[in-house]
Amino acid sequence: MFTLQISYPVRDYGAWKEVFDSDPAGRAASGARSVRVFRDTEDQNSVAVVLDFDTKDAATVFLERLRSQVWDKPEVIGQLMSASPTARILEEVAREGQAAG
């Protein structure tokens, strides 16, 4: 399993979540098996999103779609985020407590 981990420094969590929920990059259609959203307990405008994919290629294609169709839009960066998001693709190599994906 491959995980796309994204950190978003958002200006307003509610406004960001509304756009996130509208799914402008097509998470499900891109093969995301699961999506989890986290907020920093000390900074409620620091958000992390974790998406699981079956293949590295699927995660890479989705990340490129985010960069070109969502993050490159000035209204997204300027109004919703206080800085550009950071992202990385991780490969699961071990899991304890349940069967590995």
Side-chain angles (χ1 to χ4, degrees):
M1 180 171 316
F2 294 85
T3 299
L4 173 58
Q5 179 185 33
I6 307 166
S7 297
Y8 291 96
V10 301
R11 293 184 189 283
D12 177 297
Y13 175 79
W16 174 86
K17 184 70 164 66
E18 188 175 315
V19 172
F20 179 84
D21 288 344
S22 74
D23 195 13
R27 292 184 295 271
S30 297
R33 294 183 61 189
S34 68
V35 179
R36 296 177 308 257
V37 177
F38 301 87
R39 289 174 81 181
D40 188 307
T41 59
E42 300 296 320
D43 178 1
Q44 295 291 293
N45 287 326
S46 180
V47 178
V49 176
V50 177
L51 304 100
D52 293 323
F53 294 87
D54 288 328
T55 67
K56 181 181 177 186
D57 287 343
T60 301
V61 167
F62 183 72
L63 177 56
E64 290 307 314
R65 184 174 298 123
L66 277 175
R67 287 180 173 145
S68 66
Q69 296 180 11
V70 181
W71 299 346
D72 278 354
K73 302 211 179 309
E75 63 272 17
V76 172
I77 295 295
Q79 294 177 11
L80 296 178
M81 294 181 243
S82 57
S84 294
T86 58
R88 63 185 179 164
I89 296 173
L90 306 169
E91 179 179 12
E92 182 176 316
V93 294
R95 182 186 298 206
E96 293 184 22
Q98 55 184 307

